[in-house]
Structure formats: structure tokens, C-alpha cells
Amino acid sequence: MARDFRTDNRQEENIAKVYLNSKDDFIYIDEKDTSIFDRFAAFLKWLDEKGNEITSKEKELEQLYGKDIITRNDAGEVTDVNVEAFIAFSKFRTETYQEAADQLDKIFGQDTIRKYFRTSYEINPGFTPDDECIYDFLDEITPILNELYSDRAKRISLKYNSNRKGGKRTKFRSKEELIKDHMGK
């Protein structure tokens, strides 16, 4: 009969369950996944670049179609809509926001944005979150990431601290310091 062995693998302890809405939809974040910061930082950079691209696109469309997509009279009532300009700009913005939602799903897991905006997707299955929605999600998830990874940094600091018993400083401590540490005094 073969002998069985089991490691003391406690990887599940490094997984955080983050609830995204009142319906208790959730995602998991692995505290030991260092690539999440790289992907998150790349996303923030991309978002900033897209903001600049949207501004450029607005100017481009303004030159192409004129300044006002919607014309109002003195009473504030809509008198004319430049449909071509409206469609072109709306399409560009919608594609950008859909791309942002897709990128967030790649960072935090499939359907993260769908879970976060569950009610909106239930009302309209074709829902695409706008910039305000994306920033609302970022405002909620950023403090969670900060807390998860600051706790992790503290644990690592304690675990691999050179002052701990058996740490690298052992060679440089005196005999009295070693005995004191060993005795716990």
C-alpha cells in the first residue's frame, strides 16, 4: 500500500472574497498575485490615455460637424440635433467604455463589471457602464486593494524580518543576544 503525504499548503488563506453588490455577488482576489498591481496600473494609464483620446475625438468631430451637436433656443428647448455627429461621438464613447469594462474583467475576473452593476444589466442586458460608473467601481475597489496588500506587506515584513529568530542577522549578533532571543527574554 502506498503511503500518503499532504503538504501544509494554506493558499486559500491568501484569497479575499470581495462582495460587489447587495445580491452578494462576489469576486476573489489573490493577495499573492503580484501581477494585479501591474495590470491595475496599466489600466489606469490606459484610462488616462483614453481620456486624452476622447478629448481629441471631440475636437475632431467639432471640426468635422461644427461646435454644437445639439442646438437649443433661448428657452433651453432642443431645436436641432446633428444626428451624424451624435452617432459618431456616441459610438466612440460606448466602444471606449466597453473596452474599459473588458479590461477590468481581465484584471479582477470574468463578469466583475456585470456583477458590480448587476441591477443595470438586469434592466438592460445591453448596458455599457459610462465613465462615471467606471470611476465608481475604481473608487470602491482601490481601498480594498490597498488594505489587502498593506496587510500582506506587514505579514511579509514580520515573516522575513532579519531580526526574527533565525534571521540573517544571526551571524552578526553576539552570543548574549542569541541566547536572549532563544530564551524569549
Side-chain angles (χ1 to χ4, degrees):
M1 172 101 350
R3 297 182 343 183
D4 291 338
F5 295 94
R6 183 175 298 275
T7 64
D8 190 24
N9 186 345
R10 295 186 179 143
Q11 292 302 308
E12 294 86 11
E13 294 174 2
N14 302 311
I15 306 291
K17 190 175 190 177
V18 179
Y19 291 94
L20 298 174
N21 58 36
S22 60
K23 307 275 191 208
D24 289 339
D25 289 329
F26 59 88
I27 58 172
Y28 289 112
I29 297 177
D30 187 345
E31 293 178 39
K32 291 197 173 185
D33 180 6
T34 59
S35 70
I36 197 168
F37 280 116
D38 297 333
R39 295 185 316 240
F40 192 67
F43 173 75
L44 294 177
K45 182 180 179 195
W46 175 87
L47 201 58
D48 188 45
E49 290 168 356
K50 278 296 182 178
N52 294 335
E53 196 175 321
I54 286 173
T55 303
S56 300
K57 188 71 168 181
E58 286 174 338
K59 289 177 184 175
E60 179 185 316
L61 291 173
E62 187 177 300
Q63 289 176 349
L64 190 62
Y65 295 108
K67 185 170 177 140
D68 295 322
I69 292 175
I70 298 173
T71 308
R72 297 179 184 271
N73 62 18
D74 292 337
E77 298 169 342
V78 175
T79 57
D80 188 33
V81 176
N82 185 334
V83 177
E84 284 183 46
F86 184 75
I87 289 172
F89 188 66
S90 291
K91 182 179 179 192
F92 177 73
R93 289 178 65 95
T94 300
E95 288 170 353
T96 300
Y97 299 139
Q98 185 58 54
E99 188 177 351
D102 292 343
Q103 285 197 30
L104 287 169
D105 282 352
K106 287 178 185 172
I107 295 169
F108 296 105
Q110 187 175 354
D111 293 333
T112 296
I113 295 301
R114 185 171 290 278
K115 290 174 185 177
Y116 187 78
F117 296 105
R118 180 179 176 170
T119 303
S120 297
Y121 279 100
E122 286 175 352
I123 293 168
N124 176 12
F127 174 75
T128 299
D130 66 1
D131 52 345
E132 185 178 359
C133 292
I134 298 296
Y135 285 113
D136 285 348
F137 174 78
L138 294 175
D139 287 346
E140 294 264 352
I141 202 72
T142 301
I144 293 169
L145 289 175
N146 286 337
E147 185 175 334
L148 285 174
Y149 288 96
S150 68
D151 289 348
R152 180 179 186 272
K154 289 176 192 172
R155 282 194 315 274
I156 288 174
S157 176
L158 290 172
K159 189 173 185 179
Y160 298 107
N161 185 333
S162 61
N163 292 325
R164 70 179 171 82
K165 182 176 162 183
K168 290 183 179 180
R169 288 200 50 224
T170 304
K171 295 179 189 174
F172 306 107
R173 290 188 278 176
S174 69
K175 181 179 177 181
E176 291 79 25
E177 289 175 314
L178 290 170
I179 292 169
K180 184 178 175 183
D181 285 348
H182 183 71
M183 301 299 282
K185 295 179 182 179

